[in-house]
Amino acid sequence: MSLHAEIHAGRQPLPWLVFLHGFSGDGREWQPVGAALADFPRLYLDLPGHGASATTCVDSFTGMDALLRSTLSRYNILSYWLVGYSLGGRIAMFHACQQPTGLQGIIIEGGHPGLADEQARVARLEADAQWCQRLRHQPLSEVFDAWYRQPVFAALTETERAALVALRSHNDGNALAHMLAATSLGRQPDLRAALRDATFPVHYFFGEHDRKFRALASEVARHCYAIPAAGHNAHRENPAAVAALLARILPLEIKDRP
Ligand SMILES: C=C(O[C@H]1C=C[C@H](C(=O)CCC(=O)O)[C@@H](C(=O)O)[C@@H]1O)C(=O)O
């Protein structure tokens, strides 16, 4: 079994860029950024419960990682970078900490490394369980209007929020709930120590107005970058800045680690 993905061929024999979207998104979301990196072969994934992978499900981080590996194998991707936003960043960090063969590095945008405190994990599991109930039983337009009023999205304007609510309301609420439960932050191991000891490059992006993940960045990576004029979803709000940063970082990293 593998995830639905869209492939864009590169122009040079470079490592693959594998893009992982955030919760309630889909593989199209990274494409404006990826289009500026056309020399690289690119793979845009639809995560379980999302997009054209809506009927695919996993039950744990381990299951998600196995599905990511089988998807990479299906496309014969032997040398790659993961570029993950939020939930996609958490999945990328978890995968990288398993020391997979072929991984060249990870670029994380607004991903949480994990909760160190057991009480915080229990509280998060309870909060996410409530979101799951809402996703299963309420109109998605109501759920996402509340979702995008969470503090982490405080930088959104009403117009931006309304656009996201309309976009996210096309999802399958039950499929999203299954993925949210399976990959809840409350179920994620704390990856800080493994990331500190990482033998692969870790770069961390955060929107300059995203206070929560600006504060977390240095706990994840030595290389941290603020994306101007952006909140949590930085690549959506300033794709040009994210693309320019990737276009600067990747060639330098690849030159040093062919
Ligand atoms: C509310 C918090 O966490 C959630 C918000 C962001 C993550 C995400 O993928 C959202 C994508 C989007 O809506 O643009 C999501 C996740 O990592 O699964 C979190 O549940 C928070 O304050 O951390």
Side-chain angles (χ1 to χ4, degrees):
M1 183 167 66
S2 63
L3 290 167
H4 175 272
E6 189 168 317
I7 281 193
H8 289 219
R11 291 196 285 258
Q12 293 179 28
L14 290 166
W16 283 80
L17 303 183
V18 179
F19 292 92
L20 297 95
H21 59 79
F23 180 70
S24 72
D26 66 36
R28 292 170 296 181
E29 308 220 340
W30 273 110
Q31 292 190 18
V33 168
L37 300 157
D39 284 347
F40 291 85
R42 288 144 286 149
L43 189 74
Y44 301 97
L45 298 178
D46 284 338
L47 293 176
H50 294 74
S53 301
T55 57
T56 303
C57 66
V58 294
D59 295 312
S60 64
F61 275 91
T62 307
M64 177 63 238
D65 195 56
L67 184 55
L68 174 58
R69 290 168 187 254
S70 61
T71 303
L72 294 172
S73 174
R74 173 190 172 189
Y75 290 101
N76 196 31
I77 295 178
L78 305 175
S79 175
Y80 60 99
W81 283 72
L82 293 183
V83 184
Y85 159 61
S86 214
L87 167 61
R90 299 195 288 117
I91 292 167
M93 289 186 282
F94 182 88
H95 176 77
C97 292
Q98 313 314 307
Q99 304 286 351
T101 305
L103 179 75
Q104 302 302 305
I106 60 174
I107 293 166
I108 306 302
E109 179 190 298
H112 200 302
L115 296 170
D117 173 71
E118 180 58 24
Q119 275 189 312
R121 278 203 289 274
V122 169
R124 185 54 179 255
L125 280 171
E126 287 167 1
D128 283 345
Q130 287 177 29
W131 282 115
C132 289
Q133 282 296 94
R134 297 187 69 172
L135 286 163
R136 291 191 182 101
H137 302 297
Q138 291 180 3
L140 288 186
S141 57
E142 289 177 22
V143 180
F144 282 109
D145 184 75
W147 177 265
Y148 286 114
R149 295 187 189 281
Q150 297 183 94
V152 72
F153 299 111
L156 289 173
T157 66
E158 277 306 316
T159 303
E160 289 167 335
R161 182 178 288 108
L164 277 166
V165 169
L167 187 62
R168 303 309 193 211
S169 296
H170 296 298
N171 279 288
D172 174 333
N174 287 305
L176 289 184
H178 194 108
M179 184 63 173
L180 184 57
T183 56
S184 165
L185 185 61
R187 298 187 67 185
Q188 179 184 315
D190 182 358
L191 300 169
R192 286 173 180 80
L195 290 167
R196 259 198 307 275
D197 299 339
T199 57
F200 48 85
V202 182
H203 294 264
Y204 196 94
F205 297 2
F206 57 88
E208 69 169 340
H209 303 307
D210 181 352
R211 280 190 248 172
K212 176 169 185 174
F213 288 88
R214 169 191 286 273
L216 276 170
S218 59
E219 298 178 34
V220 178
R222 287 186 297 280
H223 310 295
C224 300
Y225 314 82
I227 303 298
H232 185 60
N233 196 334
H235 68 285
R236 178 182 170 89
E237 295 167 36
N238 194 346
V242 172
L245 197 47
L246 288 172
R248 176 157 64 87
I249 291 167
L250 289 167
L252 291 172
E253 287 285 4
I254 291 163
K255 178 176 63 68
D256 296 343
R257 299 164 59 99

